[in-house]
Amino acid sequence: MIGVDVGGTFTDVVEIRDGRVSVTKVPSSQTDPAQAVVEGARRLGVEGVPVFNHASTMGLNAVITRQLPKVAFLTTDGHRDMLDRGRVWRPPDRQTDPSWRRPFGDASKPLVPRYLRRGVPERIAADGSVLMALDETEARRQLAVFGRCNVEGVAICLLNAYVNHAHEERLRELVHEVLGDVPVSISSETSPLAKEYARASTTVIDVVMKLIFDAYSHRIDDELRALGFRGELNFADCAATLLPWREALRKPSRIVFAGPAAGTIASTRLGEAIGDRNLICADVGGTSTDVSLVVDGRPFLNNTFELEHDLVINALSTEVVSVGAGGGSIVGISPSGDVTVGPGSVGSEPGPACYGRGGTLPAVTDACLLMGILAPEGFAAGQVRLDPALARRAFEGLDTPLPVDRRIAFAFRIAVANIAEEIANIAIRHGVDPRDFSLMSYGAAGGMLLPATLDLLHVRRVVIPPHPGLFSALGLLSTDRVYYDSRSAYVLLTPQSAPQIAAVYELMEQRLRARAGVGRDAEDVTLRRSFDGRLVGHSWETPFIEIPSGPITGDTVQELVERFHDVYERRYGNRFPYVPVQGVTYRVELVVRSEKVQYAAGKPERTAQVRPEGMLDLRHYADEPLQAAEYRRESLPVGARVEGPAIIREALSTTFVCPGQVAEVGTVGEISIEAATRAAGGSDRWP
Amino acid sequence: MHTFPRPAEQYLFARRRPVQGTCPECGAAALAEYRVLSDGGLWDVRKCQRCLASVERTRAPRYGSYVPLGLEP
Amino acid sequence: MALTSPVPAPLIRDLSDEQFARRYGCDRFSATVLANRYGYIVEHMCGRLLTAAFSPILRDFYDFAATVSGPPELDYATPAMSATILLFTGTMTDSVRNTVEEYGVENVEPGDVIIANDPYRMGTHVNDVLFVRPVFHEGRLAGFVNLKAHQLDMGGTVPGGFSAAKSSVFENGLVLSPRPLLKAGRPVRETWTLIYANVRFGELLYPDMQTICVNLDLGERLLCETLERYGAGAVHGAMEYACDRSAEHMERALDRIPDGAWEGEDVLDCDGVDDSEEYRVRVRVTKVGRRAEVDFSGTSRQARTCVNATALDAKTSVGVAFKYLLDPRTPFTSGTARPIDLILPEQTVVSALPPEGGVFVYWELNQVVLSAVLRALAQAVGPGAMGGDRGSADLHNATGLLPDGTPWVSAAQCGGEVGPYGANRHGDADSQMLSYQANGIGMAIEAIESGAPVVVMRHEIEPDTGGPGTHRGGCGVVRDSVWLQPARHFFMSFRYKHAPGFGVQGGGDGAGGGIWIWDAEPDGFPGRTPLTPEAYRRAAPVGGVLDPDTNVPSRDGAYVYVLERPFWETRPMAVLRFLTNGGGGWGDPLEREPERVKLDVRDGYVTIEGAARDYGVVVSGDPDEDPENLVVHAEATRRLRAEQRRTRSRTAPTA
């Protein structure tokens, strides 16, 4: 099995063959991203490999940088500004900021400029009836304009097309008639869900992704075949589930944001192996920390996600919240003299001052280097040498009367405190108590920052998985193939509505089986139904209420209403049994089980006491330097116990075990860190 | 007071009462007394009209002239 | 009471460690961490309310606020307010102080929740109920955690309360003077029953109030943990530090603008009795060094119906205006207002007293105050000035019965709720926003149509309505809706008389908007209603400043009184049109790069005629048929702009 995670800076490739993990890192190429994937495949060899699973942030990057193909948007006359409007709201913390603009609005950087967003006279009512017929003459005229402007693809989203797709389908025919064989996405196919803005933006992204991914994926497939690959090429989606690449190209909006979710899946899988079903997953990178939750062995799923503020995509996705704190977060001084960390970041270029690439602003990584947590040699598998003198100079350059020692100490502590508060915030918003959870800590900077949050967050423990620097790529080898479909219909849930709901499922399930090429009784296949419903009077839905398999009858619908109230109460703490429930979106997932990474349990060695490689001065943590033991991770056997303060180094990551903490190597090689005396509770461990 | 009839004048004006004395900050003989709303609620202030320094700030009744009936003994 | 000096000197950043510790009872690092922590505590308190409340107005419009505040000896200093609704920012600290002091500090016990909602005591309106939880540490009152949240109904003559026609406190809804809702953790039954005996939808309010109490429990727990960990000395010191810090931010920002005095005014068109009296808010802003005063002398007396606001609302909008222009990025605390004194005669339309008129539609006056202060400060901040937004929140509500007798309601969906901002030095303005002091999720048209018998035929910007400028104001937005069943319409638009979308730095004002109804004998689905003068001529005008012959918005037209009728009844297939006012422009439109004007023509924000008239740019081509081949005629543009500059210097007085 091979997993490839294409990031902005590096393309990570992981192979598992006969239980052995091999890894390689290839620099990503902005101009020819397929090349890095193929190079990684060549290095590890693909002959005899059964699956090649691919995730990329290429689509996301194209959207964020607006390096987009020229696409047009066709909608109901009078509504072309739905893409400028979004859902109207602005970020709560920017409310008095006159410089804020809606990032995709016409006053900023629209995905489709207004002159390429055009209306066609037609109107379908909320119940699907046709109020105004499609004006084909006018449609042809507008398409001719698109032709004159040489658009490369067309997105179509008409009002209420989620209940009646006739006009959209006819328009697609007209596009091909007038413009020839250009990619077209229609909303009733891409995402037949209610609420026009999210459906429209998903459809626009979909046609953009068709243009971006088409040649790329054909090229990867061709070149892998040329290297002798005979297995399946799969693409991962926003929930880190897989689908065959040709299937992915049918609705590529689903794969626009693959990558972060893979870390959550990897955590889930590791959690299974070590018997831990409640996890807060934190991927600490250079510019940000991606936080997600695994509750009772399942990642927290969403039915939509945002590529940037309010740029909404309808797709099943693992909820990953990105907070602006990471190794590259900039250390600064506020006007009132506070040491601040973030939200700005030095990025990968020039990077922290200690990289020696011209950066002069101090970052959290610089603080960690000066503290002794990071060593000058051996960073990022030896690819970067860190220069403490440059790091120190950057801290000296801060405009504050504080002594340099304390600037460094404060920077580290505030970075840790910010990450802890952000993680707590996410936990509380999801109604979970961090005390019941383990903090899965990965990404290059996870191990050096997150153990220090233990005392602030009150999580059970911090877990550093094996290969924390490549953990997301490992997630691509920890997941299933999933085909899914969903559609909306506002239906009041009463026994009388059973036939309508049953018909929706019958149609969806039939089509899904055909797409996946599986029969009714296929093994290794599970069908999951769920719906999103709302209390009458609400404008938002409660998602993922499970529906039993089997025929849908009046009794089933009554059960659905009960389940809705149960889920609502579990999530939000209140129950409104006297308010009627409306079904909005109905969903089927067809899961085809796939081969996954197996974590082999090792036996603890008798000699739990291990000898450090050496001792070092841990500076700026306490008033006086502390002596900290230094270990190589690969020389720590299962069952090894290490008391803090200690530093554990490995090729792509460093773990800092704080004073008062104990780290222990678990059965599959994970490092588990807990407070030495859990009873101490509430004492302030900062000196 | 608890009940306020609508004012007869269409536009209303605040009164600032000039008082003797000089501003300790800028030295101007331009002090006046009036009521302001700021951090801390309503204040009766004596302020310099040239540099806006407060010479004295005394807490004013919580709701100004409005005294909910039943609140006073 | 102690003298509070508006200028703490030296600056906080220059304090030595010893001075800092003496003033704030902790070291600088702890103060920073604690100040951040208060921000997170209020966010944590909002988290559950945002997801768990029944009320859509909480979740979609963030119509609530959470704060942490200090004990009485800190004068209830508020080091953190949630980033929810700006309209609450100036009222929170005083609400908590007034509620606790009136109830009696000596009566407060652990586990209490004290509530109140009287606008004359605490600003905003009766639907906004304040919930205060005292927090004790080692047996002493150590602070409060607080939530103020809009309730779906508070009784009164109009369901939900949204009406501008109520004429006194007694029609407005239940007034709660400060009283316990929980006493030592136990429900005070007579308070709960008093509320539910007076309000509609009690079954929905009840769990919402319980959720609020649970959130207060969470806030209390977090503040208690903080107290245990750091001690009351550090916690209180850091509260003062956070407030001093934001006062200092504002002072330093004030210091950066020149000293002077500037006047600004704006108006609310009318109240609910008739349009004989418009309500003016006039301010004179004086700024010397790091201090400012805002004097409201010359402001109108209070209105005869519930369009009034109270002094704390005026404080909110003065604070919001100063934040927007001077200190946009830091969060609000009670210290924000410290360098600014408001001088506010009693019984103006923004300092109303009971019982006449009453207070409900307070947010419209918040907008007028904001506008008046922004206009005054525009003269002080030069290029930092902001153009006005479209003014009113333009709320529309409609109700009716389906043929089977089921009632339906469309609340704040089909009016002018979404409209433009004004431009500023950062660029052109967005056209589709709520007002400068509101924020929220706009409802999807498909969701609206699934819930009420209405078809939204058009929601589009209208060309040439944005205030022209080097940076263009947002364009007015047209929303046309067809009502399939008989309907009753309620309007709350109050800002047509005096272009609220004012231009700055030489930018032009946004165009005026209006409201129209086409209610002909039903003859099938009416389809599209054109935007032509012929179409307007056939309409019944509902609001705006309109040409009496054509019904088209015109600066020289006549004012059409929006509340002429308390509501409008329409027949099936009637068409309702809202056109919002445009947003103000920033900078001289003759300085806008001709290429950008061409792109505006291409994109339909400006017409070819508008480009020549408003920007002096001569564009030719067909933006509809051939949008990529428009041509700017450089020489003709140069001549036209020179000509317009000459005309302007001859005729226009310097602004």
Side-chain angles (χ1 to χ4, degrees), chain C residues 182-227:
Chain C
L182 298 183
K183 194 68 198 158
R186 304 175 71 88
V188 179
R189 290 193 195 290
E190 58 270 32
T191 302
W192 293 88
T193 53
L194 170 75
I195 294 170
Y196 298 115
N198 281 277
V199 308
R200 303 172 184 88
F201 322 125
E203 294 83 357
L204 302 179
L205 263 76
Y206 185 61
D208 271 6
M209 289 195 179
Q210 288 175 316
T211 301
I212 288 168
C213 291
V214 168
N215 284 328
L216 291 176
D217 288 344
L218 173 66
E220 179 189 20
R221 198 188 89 209
L222 295 170
L223 188 55
C224 280
E225 282 173 13
T226 310
L227 282 157

Side-chain angles (χ1 to χ4, degrees), chain C residues 122-369:
Chain C
M122 44 200 297
T124 70
H125 56 189
V126 284
N127 288 50
D128 299 332
V129 178
L130 174 71
F131 299 78
V132 177
R133 159 63 56 83
V135 178
F136 287 78
H137 176 65
E138 294 173 348
R140 286 176 57 96
L141 181 56
F144 302 89
V145 292
N146 319 292
L147 273 164
K148 186 186 269 192
H150 184 108
Q151 308 297 313
L152 281 176
D153 191 89
M154 265 293 132
T157 54
V158 178
F162 283 82
S163 156
K166 294 178 286 184
S167 65
S168 78
V169 167
F170 313 111
E171 297 176 7
N172 217 1
L174 176 66
V175 176
L176 294 162
S177 54
R179 69 196 51 240
L181 183 71
L182 298 183
K183 194 68 198 158
R186 304 175 71 88
V188 179
R189 290 193 195 290
E190 58 270 32
T191 302
W192 293 88
T193 53
L194 170 75
I195 294 170
Y196 298 115
N198 281 277
V199 308
R200 303 172 184 88
F201 322 125
E203 294 83 357
L204 302 179
L205 263 76
Y206 185 61
D208 271 6
M209 289 195 179
Q210 288 175 316
T211 301
I212 288 168
C213 291
V214 168
N215 284 328
L216 291 176
D217 288 344
L218 173 66
E220 179 189 20
R221 198 188 89 209
L222 295 170
L223 188 55
C224 280
E225 282 173 13
T226 310
L227 282 157
E228 276 155 28
R229 186 179 180 123
Y230 292 89
V235 164
H236 292 156
M239 285 179 171
E240 295 197 283
Y241 167 72
C243 296
D244 287 356
R245 189 173 67 173
S246 62
E248 194 181 277
H249 273 291
M250 184 59 81
E251 287 161 2
R252 288 162 61 116
L254 282 168
D255 209 21
R256 285 193 289 270
I257 62 171
D259 289 352
W262 310 278
E263 292 186 351
E265 67 175 56
D266 211 319
V267 300
L268 188 85
D269 293 343
C270 58
D271 65 14
V273 174
D274 57 42
D275 64 345
S276 64
E277 187 165 345
E278 64 179 40
Y279 293 92
R280 176 174 89 188
V281 172
R282 173 174 285 179
V283 296
R284 179 180 171 84
V285 179
T286 310
K287 198 239 68 158
V288 184
R290 302 177 162 213
R291 306 177 176 115
E293 279 190 349
V294 180
D295 190 329
F296 283 76
S297 289
T299 295
S300 294
R301 62 181 164 180
Q302 65 188 61
R304 299 160 295 180
T305 66
C306 60
V307 298
N308 294 299
T310 60
L312 292 177
D313 302 317
K315 185 178 169 187
T316 291
S317 293
V318 167
V320 170
F322 278 74
K323 288 289 286 179
Y324 260 122
L325 294 182
L326 299 176
D327 179 24
R329 291 287 192 103
T330 63
F332 281 88
T333 72
S334 55
T336 305
R338 197 182 298 161
I340 308 161
D341 278 341
L342 275 67
I343 297 109
L344 188 52
E346 288 185 324
Q347 286 202 275
T348 71
V349 70
V350 292
S351 56
L353 290 177
E356 287 194 50
V359 173
F360 196 90
V361 190
Y362 73 96
W363 62 89
E364 291 288 323
L365 272 155
N366 277 94
Q367 284 288 97
V368 180
V369 172

Side-chain angles (χ1 to χ4, degrees), chain A residues 70 77-81 84-85 87-90 92-102 106-107 113-115 118 121 123 126 131-132 141 145 148-149 158-160 162 194-196 199 335-339 399-401 406 410 413-414 418 421-422 424-425 428-429 431 435 455-456 490 534-540 568 571-572 574 576 578-579 682 684, chain C residues 12-13 17 28-29 32 36-37 40 43-44 47-48 50-56 59-60 62 83-84 86 203-204 207 211 218 221 229 241 245 249 252 323-324 328-329 332 418 421 424 426-430 432-436 438-442 444-447 449-450 455-461 525 527-528 602-605 623-628:
Chain A
K70 188 173 188 178
D77 182 48
H79 293 280
R80 60 170 161 162
D81 289 331
D84 172 61
R85 180 162 75 249
R87 290 177 302 177
V88 182
W89 67 300
R90 44 194 165 130
D93 58 346
R94 303 290 297 276
Q95 283 189 91
T96 58
D97 185 349
S99 70
W100 188 83
R101 299 289 182 278
R102 181 171 293 119
D106 288 347
R114 193 168 190 262
Y115 78 100
R118 289 175 171 250
R123 195 63 158 88
L131 289 168
M132 287 167 64
R141 188 181 77 79
V145 177
R148 270 194 284 288
C149 296
L158 305 179
L159 284 181
N160 292 321
Y162 72 99
K195 298 188 182 176
E196 67 279 1
R199 194 170 74 245
S336 24
D338 306 88
V339 172
D399 178 19
T400 168
R406 302 195 41 212
F410 287 5
R413 292 186 206 177
I414 287 171
N418 285 356
E421 293 282 15
E422 294 285 3
N425 212 18
I428 288 171
R429 272 174 201 273
R435 287 173 292 197
D455 183 43
L456 303 167
Y490 287 100
R534 66 180 190 184
L535 294 167
V536 169
H538 273 175
S539 51
W540 62 90
Y568 191 94
R571 265 178 209 239
Y572 307 133
N574 287 327
F576 298 96
Y578 36 81
V579 182
D684 189 347
Chain C
I12 297 172
R13 58 167 294 151
D17 283 359
R28 202 180 272 275
F29 172 73
T32 303
N36 290 351
R37 174 126 198 90
Y40 281 108
E43 258 196 68
H44 297 338
R48 295 296 285 159
L50 269 174
T51 50
F54 180 88
S55 171
R59 174 131 168 190
D60 292 349
Y62 314 106
T84 42
L86 291 175
E203 294 83 357
L204 302 179
T211 301
L218 173 66
R221 198 188 89 209
R229 186 179 180 123
Y241 167 72
R245 189 173 67 173
H249 273 291
R252 288 162 61 116
K323 288 289 286 179
Y324 260 122
R329 291 287 192 103
F332 281 88
V418 175
Y421 271 13
N424 55 45
H426 303 285
D428 295 347
D430 281 313
Q432 303 202 68
M433 305 294 288
L434 300 184
S435 73
Y436 275 152
N439 190 21
I441 304 286
I445 287 168
E446 290 172 349
E449 294 183 357
S450 81
V455 179
V456 178
M457 291 300 291
R458 178 183 274 121
H459 179 109
E460 234 176 351
I461 65 104
F525 188 71
R528 289 184 295 166
R602 181 195 72 177
D603 286 338
Y605 278 88
D624 187 37
E625 279 292 322
D626 196 8
E628 290 188 346

